[in-house]
Amino acid sequence: MSDPAGVPATATIPAAEHSWQPVEALIEEYAQAWEHGGVPGPDVLLHNDFHAGNFVLDAPVGVLTGVWDFSCVAHGRATADLRYFADGSPDLLHRLAEAYQRRTGRPVDVRAAVVALRAENVCDQVELGHPERIVRLTEEWT
């Protein structure tokens, strides 16, 4: 049996052994940023799977010459396209955001990109039937 969102009823989150405050705080921060218009800028065409695995470089450590895989194209805030860089170097994420803003004049909210990736990772674990892995995710946030 599943709930209306399609999450199996067996996908329950372990209760008392862990504080779910980080997930609750993430939900609140996500709602403020993404659902209530907190992310700045106009909607743009998004690649929506923008990460190094989809880059075409002119050499092993070279210049970006293209991007692969447009199967996830969407319409939304530019910040969303930078979310997969939130798992790596904070410096790289900030430099990408600054370069994007400089070249386009459109704002990017780095914190909202981090929040979007964390929310996506939590949802992925629930959808995969592994909500117990959420504990490990929240531990990585500190």
Side-chain angles (χ1 to χ4, degrees):
M1 180 174 186
S2 296
D3 72 7
V7 177
T10 57
T12 58
I13 297 174
E17 72 258 15
H18 182 73
S19 167
W20 292 103
Q21 189 212 6
V23 175
E24 292 169 359
L26 174 69
I27 292 167
E28 180 63 31
E29 190 172 3
Y30 184 93
Q32 288 177 4
W34 290 97
E35 295 179 4
H36 302 301
V39 177
D43 284 353
V44 297
L45 182 66
L46 301 173
H47 182 274
N48 212 29
D49 195 20
F50 194 64
H51 58 79
N54 284 331
F55 291 174
V56 180
L57 304 174
D58 67 352
V61 180
V63 175
L64 179 68
T65 59
V67 180
W68 298 108
D69 186 6
F70 287 87
S71 63
C72 298
V73 170
H75 190 250
R77 303 284 195 229
T79 295
D81 254 350
L82 297 183
R83 71 188 181 278
Y84 293 127
F85 294 97
D87 257 354
S89 160
D91 179 60
L92 176 60
L93 176 58
H94 283 276
R95 286 186 294 136
L96 285 168
E98 289 169 7
Y100 180 87
Q101 291 175 130
R102 216 176 23 255
R103 289 189 171 107
T104 66
R106 295 185 179 123
V108 174
D109 184 335
V110 170
R111 181 65 192 162
V114 171
V115 168
L117 180 63
R118 288 177 178 178
E120 184 173 330
N121 289 341
V122 167
C123 290
D124 286 349
Q125 293 311 313
V126 172
E127 289 175 6
L128 291 170
H130 296 289
E132 72 281 358
R133 293 179 183 167
I134 296 170
V135 173
R136 195 170 1 156
L137 288 174
T138 63
E139 289 168 353
E140 294 170 4
W141 298 346
T142 56

